[in-house]
Each structure stands twice: as C-alpha cells, then as structure tokens.
C-alpha cells in the first residue's frame, strides 16, 4: 500500500480520538462515561493499537519498546535489597548510600518496571511480551514485594528527595496500574493509590490534614511539577471510577494556565509563564528549556486525555499558542534550545537539539486539537524545525506511538510549507527571568543576567557542578547554519574554564564544587539544611543575587541591557550561616550590552574588588574542535598568544567560515589573547553521568580577555561583530557607525549613527549627552520615540529630562515643560519590567513673560503694565555716589533695558522702584536732561516708586535743612515783635504759600536730563 494511503488511514484513526470538538458540559450522571472516555483516550495515546503498532512507520519505536521491556524483566533475590543490580533500595547490603540516592533508586526501579509493563501492554507483531502471563506475574510479584517492604509503611517513607515520592514513583506506578487495570486485583490498585496519596505532602508533617492531595500553597505543587502530580491523579481517578478525584485534579492543573503576575501572586506561586514569555520553575530559575518543556508535553497529554469529556476546554489552546510563540520559539534557535533557559540541565548529555526534538512531539500533538488556522501555523513550524539539517528527531523518544503518525504526516505532506513563526530580526527581553534573546538573519545572541528576583544559576543533585558565574552576564553567540553542539552543549561545559565564561567578570580566586567542599551533593546541617529544605534551595541550589539592578529596554527590535554585578545571597547572609558553610565574594562591576543589527557593543565600568584581588573580563571564549585550524588577524597583523597593546580589533576565523567573528575595542586597555586545548570529562560538571556515558573530551579554545588590576578601578568597551572576517573588518574599520557617548561609573551610553538610535543605562540619577535621568533607568531613543525600562522593577515611576518642548503623543507618561527643557515621567508601577514605549511630539510654547525685572546687585526694579517676554530681557543698572547743590547723600542711577544686547525703547510707561532709607519729606529725586524734570513719586516700604515713559539717568538725594510747614496763627496768642519784612502766607522771596509747601513735601522736584538713547536703528520696541 502506498504511504499516502497508509497515512490517510492512520491519521483518520488517530484524529478520531485526538481532535478536540466543542461539546456541551455533560450532566453528572454522564460522568462515568467521561471516565471511560479518558481511559479510551489514554489507551490509544500510551499503547496505540494493532493497526498503528504494526505499521512500518512504528517499527523502530516498537522494537525499542520490546528491547527495553526485555532488558528490564525483573529477576532478583527477595532476601536482598534490590530488584536491579546496583540499584539498592536500602543499605542492608553494606552500601552507604545517602537517603537521596535511595529514593532516586526507588524511582529508577519503577521506571524500569514501567518499561516492562509498556511492552506487556503493546500489541504488535513479534512482541512476545504482549499479554505474556510470565511477564504479568513478574510485574505483580515485584510490585507487591516493593510495596510491602518499602512503600506500605507510609510513616517511614518520604526520605531523600520529595520528587521521587510525589512524582517519580507515582508517574511510573500509575501507568503500570493503568496497563494492568483489567487483570490486576482491584484491591492492589486501591492500596497503591492510597499509598501514593499518603506521600503527597509538600512540606507538611505527619498528621497534617493537608496530606493526601494537591496543596496549591505548597512550594512543590507548582508549574511542571503540579501538572505531573495532577495528571497522575486524573489517570488514577479514571481507572477507579472516582469522578471527584478527576474533577479536583483537573481544576488544580488548570491553575498552570494562569499567567503569573508578580504583583498579584496566587498561593504565593512564582512558577509558570509570565506576560513577557518568561518561564520560571523552582521559584526563581529560568527554565523554559527543561521544566517548561515538561509542562508543554504534559499539557499536550492533558488535552488528548480530556478530549470529548466534560473537562475539555478549547479556550486553553490560545494560552498554549502564546507559550509556544512567545516562550519556546525565541529560545530555540534553528531548533537548538539555548543554554540560558536550561537551569542545571545544561550539564546533561541529551540537551540542545534533543531538547527541541522533545518539544516537537508536544507541538505535533497539540496541533491536532487546534482550529484550521492555528493548526496550519503550528504544523508549519514543526515542518520548519524538522527540515533544519542539524535538527534530528528520534521518534523512538516519542512517548506515544500514535504521535509518530501525525509527525510523519507533517513531514511528508508537501502542502505544509515549513516556516519559522519567529521573526528572524527580533528581540525578546525576558526581564521577568533576567534573560535577553537578540535574533538576526545570521546569528542569535543570548544573555543571562540575575538579580534579587532571579537566580544566578541552578545546581542540584550533582548536576551543573561549576555553575558559579552563569548568571553574571554570560552570553552565547549562535551563528546560522552551524551545528551548535560544536560550539556549546555538554562538550563546552565539560571543557571550558568556568572562570572565563564569555561576558563575565570574575576575581582570580578558586572556587570548589559542593562535593569538593562537603563530600556530598548538598550541604547537610540539620535541621535547617537537608537535601530538599528551603534553606538548601536558597543558599545552595539556586541562590539569588544581591543586585537589584538588572533589566533591558527595547525599541524597534533593538535593545540595551544592563546589570550591576552582585554576590550570592549566602555571602550577604554569611554571618548568620553555620561556621563551616563556605561563601564567596564576587567582583564589583557595572555591565551593559547594546544590541544592534551587525554588532553587540559591550561596556563595563566601576570594576573593582573590595578585597583587592586581580580580576578578568572574558570578551569571548570560543570552542573549536582540536583539528580546526584557526586564523587570528588584527590591526597589528597576525596575532600570537599573549597580552597586546594598541589593539583596535581581532578577527578569529576557522575552517568553517560561518563561524567568523571579530571583536572591536574602543579603549586603550591591553587585551590578552590565547589559543589552547582543554580536556575535561562529562562527570566534571555532572557526577550523575557515569559509565560509558562519561566521556573525556578535548577541545580547542580561542580566548579574548581583559585583565584588571585589583588595586585599581577599571573599565572596558568593545563590540562583537558576528560573521565579520578580517577583510571585512579592514574595510569598515575607518567607517565605524558606533560612538561611545559615555562609560562612567554612573552611566553607559552608546550611539549608533547608522541606525539613528541611542542607548543609555543609568545606574544612578545622572546626566549624559542631552539626557538627564532622575532615577535608575534604561533607555533606548530614536528621534522622539523612547523605550524606557525600570531595571529595579520596584519604582512606581521613572523620569528623564531632555532639551526642548514636548508633549506625550502616546504611552503611559506625562510631560512637564520647564523653561527650555521637558521632564517626562513614565509610569512603571506594576509594569513588571516591560519596556514602556513613549512617543513625544514637539509643541509650540508661548514665551515665558514677566511683569517685573530686577537688578540683583542694586535692588532696582522695573515693573511693566503689560507682561513682557522674559527671554533675552536684561535690566542694566549703573549706580554711583554723586553731588548736587542743596542735596546730601546723592546717588545717581543709569537705568536701561536691553534684549539680546540691544537697547529697548519703551512703548508704554513703566514703574521704577529704587531702594531708599529716607523719608518722603526729606528726599529729592532729580531727573531729565541736566536733572531738571520733576517726577511725582511715593515712598513705600523703603522704596521710591515713580512712573517713567523713558528710562535713563536718575538722581536721589536728601534735602539740606528741609523747611518745616508753618502752623496757623492762634488769634489768642499775642504777637511778638516783628524781626523783618513779612509776606503773609508765602515763603520768603518765593511767592509760594503754605499750601505749596505741603505739595513740595509730597512731590520731589526732579531736575535732571533723561539720557538720550542712541542707535535707534538697533533699538527694539518693547
């Protein structure tokens, strides 16, 4: 039969049980039928059927099932302590396994037994284990022995790792019970489930009423772990007819679909997907590539198992699609799962492309339940992935035989065109897990940061032993068309100098692994430090940093990231930890990365060590095969190993031109370059890798590095140019479009003239270029468009000031104009580190006006009737002591107004205010030409105020012997003798009567000349 006909038949069979169809919620009496539907769905998913299993497309998978089943058939001495050699379940035989090892061995034992049960339940030609009574007897006999000896006494169990008891054992035992459900005694199923319930504890102690079911407040019952536990309980409920069990398990599992909001945590849970696509597990670890992958696979199984039941929910697919395209797609570069999202799994042998292949099965399975448009997009993504030459999908690793048919259908269907749904020129700022992914047509750049919110690394269970600096700004450069396992993966971590991870700044001091320090995989100091305790998690397994500053701002698919280097929490809390707990002090540094199209510009400043130790910053540490021939060029010619002065750039080329890379330097620091071979074993970074899996590998490294004197504070500035060789660098060397605007302790700033953008990292409030940041913030700017991010994720608002007059055209911000500048305040409250895009628009602002202008030196003021434009207006006053006949204490004033250096002609009267200590009756002010004019004035609060139509020269003085007014004659008073001629009512010789004298007391005679204002052609009307 032709393959297309086979495919049509098998896909029809498959889709009949997996495609979701909207159905109404069933009444309670139909629930039993729903449980039967779950059993039917899971049966075809787990075991396939004769038609599917006997098809040639299933041959390899079926053979693998039979091979593993045969190899793991139990044959053991019940008087001993192990079902399988070397997998001891207790230490009665003289072994000295720690309890964590014993619980892990229990889990391994059930995993092996499941392999046997799977072969027993898989109907296929040539499978002699299928429904074999001997195999059945072996399984039941072995499980009964383990149950009675190690599991039945639930008060004595739950030693070692909680995962083994709540997930590892139940996951395999539940599937075994499912396969044997029609043959095994119902009592054994019931007893087994009761036993498994007793081990669902979280952190509860014996006797707690919360033991026995999922507790959403338990730190263990979150994210991928929660889906594992609840999926087991769904299957358990289905085979025992327990509707309530299934209903509760489904409701608990549905909580993983909620987007985690750090400002509104439910049950205190931080594990799960976030709005920016981040995925966190273990509370603070970036984990898309491991636990996230597990979660996606489990959700795909859930969708299949709940199909055509009352618990089916088609709306969940929208959420799952968001996870795929915002969470998984960006961190799977050409099918390779990036190192920054794997936690301790970076030290495993089956990572990278294998991680991506594991995701493919979930994508295939999910696509079958989607509407046409979503299905087409998802299957197109699968087609894109499986056509990548380095991306190898081993369908033997698929959990379900039935998924192989859907996968083969996508692979062979010519109407499905492979397309990457992730834009090849995009940027993903995963600030909620302190990671950045920068994608371009021919490369991807991923960056791992950490903070008080996200762990610096994850080490656990002997995995990722040398993880110390993985969250300190380590970066990974993936180039298109390259087999990434030649660059990173387990070979890289087994052989690289872990003090020289690309991008990191470290002190020259040795660290030790946990086994080297304490002889075990963890620190034991009971009661607070046990293998799975909260304190073990906090200080050993996945420590947070002490630095609050870590973030990234984006604009037009460009980005700038920044962080302040911090210590592990253990160093901060060292005085409160046990005396033998070893802590380490990091270097201090401010670090930033400006991610453009053709280059990544990297700045560092304030680099020092409080203990005075020397330090190093690793520009890059590229791994090559020892057989590769490396060509290293620079502006000084072919480069040899050693320290070099005056380097402007270095280019490294290998046998594969797709791996060309150049480093350009913007400072005058000496640069160290070295090519060397390094040898390591896989067990050096993961002591669980043993036997034939533990390989010794030797790799060649090209290392570019700065050395820093521990007695000084230093900096660095360089850029990484992917896919640029020496010839191309020589062409562009004198045409650099990058300018370093500032690299100081407080600010990192870079301009890219070719793109018209600028990036700023303000570690403190500061001014750089024409921007003043009033808070810690990260900014990208292009014209009047700004990308603003709060790197602390703790500020309610951040603000910055720029020159000019602007208003906010769009974005959550306000603008206030102050003179020639505008201050923009951006709302960052509960924005969770997401970049706020602000568009400003230039506005016309009415000129600032004044009603008064003051000369500060003399205290002279001029008041205007009509407000006048302030800009450029100056009051010019010259004040001198002088003399004038009949006056004492004479002061002269030369007063004029100027605008931009040009005298201003008044077009309206102004009020002139002069300071004085005198009284009105004793003062004279003289003005006008030759000081002849009289001006009416008044004295008010030690000032003289008068109105003037023109400004010029004024004189103020005190009258010599002022004449007092004459009192009226009292007719009853006798007259004295006359002493001289008398002109009644007038001042002598003046003809001025007493009434005139009163007027003179109120009005000063102003006699002077107003200054003639010259150069009227240059004068401006006011």
């Amino acid at each position: 039969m032709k393959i297309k006909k086979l495919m049509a038949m098998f896909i029809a069979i498959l889709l009949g049980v997996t495609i979701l169809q909207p159905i109404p919620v069933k009444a309670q009496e139909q629930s039993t039928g729903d449980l039967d539907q779950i059993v039917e769905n899971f049966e075809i998913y787990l075991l396939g059927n004769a038609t599917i299993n006997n098809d040639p497309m299933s041959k390899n998978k079926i053979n693998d099932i039979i091979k593993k089943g045969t190899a793991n058939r139990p044959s053991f001495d019940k008087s001993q302590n192990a079902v399988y050699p070397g997998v001891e379940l207790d230490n009665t035989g003289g072994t000295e396994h720690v309890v964590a090892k014993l619980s892990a061995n229990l889990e391994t034992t059930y995993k092996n037994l499941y392999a046997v049960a799977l072969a027993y339940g898989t109907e296929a030609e040539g499978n002699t284990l299928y429904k074999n009574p001997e195999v059945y007897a072996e399984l039941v006999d072995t499980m009964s022995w383990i149950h009675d000896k190690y599991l039945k006494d639930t008060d004595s169990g739950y030693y070692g790792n909680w995962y083994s008891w709540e997930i590892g054992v139940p996951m395999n035992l539940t599937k075994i019970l499912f396969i044997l459900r029609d043959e095994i005694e119902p009592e054994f199923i019931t007893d087994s489930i009761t036993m498994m319930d007793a081990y669902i504890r979280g952190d509860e102690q014996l006797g707690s009423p919360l033991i026995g079911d999922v507790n959403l407040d338990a730190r263990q019952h979150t994210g991928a772990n929660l889906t594992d536990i609840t999926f087991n309980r769904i299957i358990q409920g289905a085979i025992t007819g327990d509707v309530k069990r299934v209903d509760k398990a489904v409701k608990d599992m549905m909580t993983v679909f909620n987007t985690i909001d750090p400002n509104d945590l439910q049950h205190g849970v931080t594990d799960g997907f976030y709005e920016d696509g981040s995925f966190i597990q273990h509370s603070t670890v970036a984990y898309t590539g491991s636990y996230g992958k597990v979660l996606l696979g489990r959700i795909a199984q859930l969708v299949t198992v709940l199909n055509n039941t009352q618990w089916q929910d088609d709306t969940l697919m929208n959420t799952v699609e968001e996870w795929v395209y915002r969470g998984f797609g960006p961190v799977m570069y050409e099918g390779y799962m990036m190192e920054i999202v794997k936690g301790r799994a970076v030290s495993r042998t089956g990572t990278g492309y294998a991680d991506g292949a594991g995701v493919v099965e979930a994508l295939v399975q999910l696509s079958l339940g989607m509407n046409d448009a979503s299905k087409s997009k998802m299957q197109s993504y699968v087609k894109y992935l499986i056509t990548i030459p380095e991306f190898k999908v081993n369908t033997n690793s698929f959990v379900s035989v039935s998924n192989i048919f859907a996968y083969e259908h996508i692979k062979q269907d010519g109407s499905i065109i492979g397309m990457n749904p992730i834009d090849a020129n995009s940027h993903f700022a995963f600030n909620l897990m302190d990671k950045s992914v920068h994608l371009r047509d021919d490369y991807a750049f991923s960056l791992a940061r950490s903070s008080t919110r996200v762990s610096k690394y994850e080490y656990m269970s002997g995995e990722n032993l040398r993880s110390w600096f993985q969250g300190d700004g380590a970066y990974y450069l993936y180039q298109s068309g390259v087999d990434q396992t030649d660059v990173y993966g387990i070979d890289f971590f087994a052989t690289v100098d872990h003090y020289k991870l690309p991008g990191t700044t470290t002190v020259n001091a040795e660290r030790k692994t946990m086994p080297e320090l304490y002889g075990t995989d963890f620190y034991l100091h009971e009661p607070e430090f046990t293998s799975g305790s909260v304190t073990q998690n906090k200080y050993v397994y996945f420590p947070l940093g002490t630095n609050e500053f870590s973030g990234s701002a984006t604009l037009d698919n460009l980005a700038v990231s920044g962080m302040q280097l911090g210590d592990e929490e253990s160093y901060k809390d060292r005085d409160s930890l046990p005396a033998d707990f070893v802590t380490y002090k990091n270097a201090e540094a401010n670090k930033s990365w400006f991610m453009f199209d053709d280059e990544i510009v990297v700045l560092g400043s304030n680099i020092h060590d409080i203990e005075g130790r020397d330090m190093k910053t690793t520009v890059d540490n590229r791994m090559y095969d020892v057989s590769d021939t490396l060509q290293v060029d620079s502006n000084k010619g072919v480069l040899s190993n050693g320290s070099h002065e005056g380097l402007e750039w270095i280019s490294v080329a290998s046998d594969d031109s797709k791996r060309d890379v150049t480093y350009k330097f913007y400072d005058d620091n000496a640069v160290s370059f070295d090519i060397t071979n390094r040898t390591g074993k896989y067990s050096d970074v993961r002591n669980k890798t043993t036997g034939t899996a533990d390989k010794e590998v030797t790799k060649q490294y090209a290392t570019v590095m700065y050395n820093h004197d521990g007695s000084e504070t230093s900096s660095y500035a360089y850029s990484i140019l992917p896919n640029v060789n020496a010839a191309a660098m020589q062409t562009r060397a004198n045409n650099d479009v990058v300018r370093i605007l500032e690299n100081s302790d407080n600010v990192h700033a870079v301009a890219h003239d070719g793109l018209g953008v600028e990036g700023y990292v303000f570690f403190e409030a500061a001014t750089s270029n024409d921007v003043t940041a009033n808070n810690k913030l990260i900014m990208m700017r292009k014209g009047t468009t700004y990308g603003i991010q709060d790197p602390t994720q703790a500020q309610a608002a951040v603000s910055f000031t720029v020159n000019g007059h602007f208003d906010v055209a769009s974005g959550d911000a306000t603008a206030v104009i102050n003179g020639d500048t505008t201050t923009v305040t951006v709302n960052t409250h509960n924005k969770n580190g997401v970049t706020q895009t602000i568009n400003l628009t230039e506005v016309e602002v009415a000129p600032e006006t004044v009603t008064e202008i003051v000369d500060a030196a003399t205290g002279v003021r001029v008041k205007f009737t009509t407000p006048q434009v302030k800009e450029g207006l100056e009051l010019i006053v010259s004040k001198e002591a002088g003399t004038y006949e009949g006056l004492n204490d004479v002061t002269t004033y030369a007063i004029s107004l100027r605008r931009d250096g040009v005298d201003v002609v008044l077009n309206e009267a102004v009020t002139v205010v002069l300071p004085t200590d005198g009284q009105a009756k004793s003062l004279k002010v003289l003005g006008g030409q030759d000081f002849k004019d009289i001006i009416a004035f008044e004295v008010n609060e030690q000032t003289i105020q008068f109105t003037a139509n023109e400004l010029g020269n004024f004189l103020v003085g005190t009258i010599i012997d002022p004449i007092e007014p004459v009192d009226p004659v009292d007719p009853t008073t006798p007259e004295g003798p006359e002493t001289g001629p008398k002109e009644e009512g007038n001042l002598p010789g003046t003809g001025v009567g007493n009434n005139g004298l009163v007027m003179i007391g109120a009005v000063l005679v102003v006699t002077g000349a107003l200054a003639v204002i010259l150069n009227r052609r240059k004068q401006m009307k006011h």
Side-chain angles (χ1 to χ4, degrees), residues 464-758:
N464 207 17
L465 287 162
R466 306 174 192 278
S467 51
W468 312 304
F469 307 109
Q470 290 172 3
D472 287 350
Y475 76 78
Y476 305 86
L477 176 64
Y478 306 94
Q479 291 165 286
S480 181
V482 172
D483 186 336
Q484 306 304 332
T485 60
D486 292 338
V487 189
Y488 300 115
I490 181 58
D491 285 356
F492 175 79
F493 286 103
T495 56
V496 73
D497 184 338
H498 290 268
Y499 302 98
K500 297 178 183 178
L501 294 182
T504 61
T505 298
T506 62
V507 296
N508 295 347
E510 184 182 358
R511 291 194 179 195
K512 293 184 177 181
T513 66
M514 293 303 293
E516 288 170 343
L517 286 171
Y518 308 113
T520 63
D521 289 341
F522 54 90
Y523 174 69
L524 183 61
H525 193 282
E526 295 179 323
E528 65 270 34
F529 280 92
T530 59
S531 63
S533 65
V534 173
T535 49
Q536 195 82 228
N537 292 344
K538 181 176 182 179
Y539 295 118
V540 177
Y541 291 159
F542 30 88
L544 293 171
T546 57
N547 53 303
E548 185 183 46
F549 192 109
S550 176
S552 183
T554 62
L555 187 66
D556 292 343
N557 291 323
L558 305 173
V560 54
S561 295
M563 73 174 291
Q564 289 181 309
L565 203 56
D567 297 306
E568 295 176 24
E569 273 193 304
S570 59
Y571 182 82
K572 181 189 69 173
D573 297 342
R574 61 193 181 279
D575 293 338
S576 63
L577 294 172
D580 65 336
F581 190 96
V582 179
T583 64
Y584 296 97
K585 180 74 184 75
N586 267 6
E588 312 285 333
N590 292 341
K591 305 172 79 69
S592 63
W593 300 262
F594 299 78
M595 289 162 272
F596 301 121
D597 283 342
D598 300 324
E599 57 272 298
I600 298 97
V601 181
V602 187
L603 302 185
S605 66
N606 198 25
I607 301 168
H608 64 279
D609 178 56
I610 64 173
E611 298 179 7
R613 298 167 295 180
D614 290 344
M615 298 155 289
K616 55 187 168 294
T617 293
T618 304
V619 174
D620 207 348
N621 204 1
R622 303 284 286 171
M623 184 179 80
Y624 299 88
D625 191 81
V626 291
S627 63
D628 280 341
T629 301
L630 301 186
Q631 175 69 34
V632 184
D633 293 296
S634 74
N635 60 294
K636 299 180 72 174
V638 176
L639 210 61
S640 59
N641 287 359
S643 180
H644 302 271
E645 302 278 354
L647 281 180
E648 297 176 4
W649 55 268
I650 297 174
S651 288
V652 180
S654 66
D655 297 337
D656 184 355
S657 62
K658 296 188 294 297
R659 295 194 59 186
D660 290 346
V661 62
T662 292
Y663 312 95
K664 179 174 175 57
F665 307 102
Y666 300 94
D667 52 37
D668 57 0
N669 294 329
V671 177
S672 175
F673 180 80
D674 183 62
I675 295 178
T676 188
N677 290 346
R678 290 182 58 85
T679 299
K681 297 181 67 176
Y682 292 171
S683 58
D684 291 341
V685 290
R686 184 178 185 267
N687 60 25
K688 298 296 179 289
T689 303
T690 59
T692 58
D694 186 18
K695 296 180 180 179
E696 182 176 270
V697 290
T698 299
K699 293 293 181 179
Q700 182 178 199
Y701 280 87
T703 308
V704 183
M705 192 173 68
Y706 291 105
N707 288 301
H708 306 293
D709 189 330
S711 64
E712 301 175 352
T713 296
S714 52
S715 63
Y716 58 77
Y718 65 91
S719 63
I720 306 163
L721 290 83
N723 306 306
V724 172
N725 58 24
M729 188 62 210
Q730 289 169 346
T731 300
R732 62 183 289 169
N734 297 321
N735 188 31
D736 197 354
V737 291
V738 171
R739 287 183 295 120
I740 309 300
L741 300 177
E742 185 167 349
N743 186 20
S744 66
D745 288 354
N746 292 331
V747 185
H748 293 176
V750 174
H752 194 294
D753 296 333
L755 297 172
V757 296
E758 296 170 358

Side-chain angles (χ1 to χ4, degrees), residues 137-151:
E138 292 166 0
L139 284 169
V140 173
D141 189 45
T142 304
M143 289 193 298
S144 298
W145 180 79
I146 299 174
H147 180 90
D148 291 341
K149 189 169 183 178
Y150 296 103
L151 302 179

Side-chain angles (χ1 to χ4, degrees), residues 743-977:
N743 186 20
S744 66
D745 288 354
N746 292 331
V747 185
H748 293 176
V750 174
H752 194 294
D753 296 333
L755 297 172
V757 296
E758 296 170 358
Y760 297 83
V761 179
F762 290 96
F763 296 100
E764 300 290 345
T767 298
S768 181
N769 200 15
D770 63 336
V771 179
T772 296
N774 304 307
N775 313 82
K776 298 177 180 180
L777 62 86
I778 300 179
M779 169 192 294
M780 284 213 80
R781 171 171 74 166
K782 184 174 185 179
T784 56
T785 300
Y786 294 76
I788 304 296
Q789 196 260 342
D790 170 19
T792 72
Q793 297 186 30
Q795 301 176 99
V798 297
S799 67
F800 61 93
T801 302
V802 292
N803 295 333
H805 301 149
F806 298 97
D807 197 3
V808 176
S810 64
D812 193 359
T814 58
V816 175
I817 296 171
N818 183 18
D820 295 332
T821 64
T822 300
T823 296
V824 180
T825 301
V826 182
N827 179 18
T828 53
H829 179 61
N830 289 350
K831 294 300 176 67
N832 301 333
V834 175
T835 297
Q836 301 301 299
T837 302
I838 309 298
N839 287 291
L840 302 182
T841 182
E842 194 166 5
V843 295
E844 292 290 335
V845 177
E848 185 178 359
T849 60
V850 294
T851 57
E852 178 180 278
I853 189 167
V854 181
D855 178 61
T858 62
V860 174
R861 291 181 288 164
V862 173
K863 296 182 178 181
F864 306 101
T865 303
T866 303
Q868 306 299 313
V869 175
K870 178 181 179 181
E871 186 176 2
L873 186 63
E874 297 178 279
L875 177 61
I876 308 299
V877 179
S878 175
K879 175 183 176 182
E880 296 181 357
T883 60
Y884 194 83
E885 184 179 355
L887 298 177
N888 285 334
D889 304 323
V890 173
T891 303
T892 62
Y893 295 88
I895 303 174
S896 64
L897 282 174
R898 292 181 185 174
R899 187 184 301 280
D900 298 327
V902 180
D903 288 338
V904 174
V905 177
L906 300 180
N907 57 12
E908 64 177 18
V910 297
T911 299
V912 179
V913 182
L914 308 176
T916 182
D917 293 329
Q919 302 297 318
K921 63 182 179 180
S922 62
L923 293 175
K924 281 187 178 181
V925 177
L926 305 177
Q929 188 172 3
D930 299 327
F931 300 111
K932 299 295 185 182
D933 293 344
I934 300 174
I935 301 174
F937 76 96
E938 61 183 32
V939 175
N940 182 24
E941 296 182 356
Q942 296 185 319
T943 62
I944 299 170
Q945 299 185 31
F946 58 87
T947 300
N949 292 318
E950 290 183 312
L951 298 178
N953 297 325
F954 299 93
L955 181 150
V956 179
T958 304
I959 300 171
I960 299 175
D961 297 327
I963 301 173
E964 296 294 329
V966 179
D967 293 333
V969 177
D970 187 343
T972 63
T973 303
E975 296 183 2

Side-chain angles (χ1 to χ4, degrees), residues 288-290 293 328 331-342 345-360 385 388 390-393 478 482-491 493:
T288 316
S290 185
K293 181 184 66 172
F328 287 94
V331 298
M332 288 173 55
Y333 182 66
E334 295 184 348
Y336 184 90
M337 188 70 74
M338 293 179 173
E339 271 67 23
I340 61 172
V341 290
K342 294 178 186 175
V346 294
S347 64
R348 296 173 185 169
T349 56
T351 64
Y353 292 116
D355 291 319
V359 171
V360 163
L385 290 172
I388 296 170
E390 297 77 21
F391 190 83
K392 304 293 191 298
V393 176
Y478 306 94
V482 172
D483 186 336
Q484 306 304 332
T485 60
D486 292 338
V487 189
Y488 300 115
I490 181 58
D491 285 356
F493 286 103

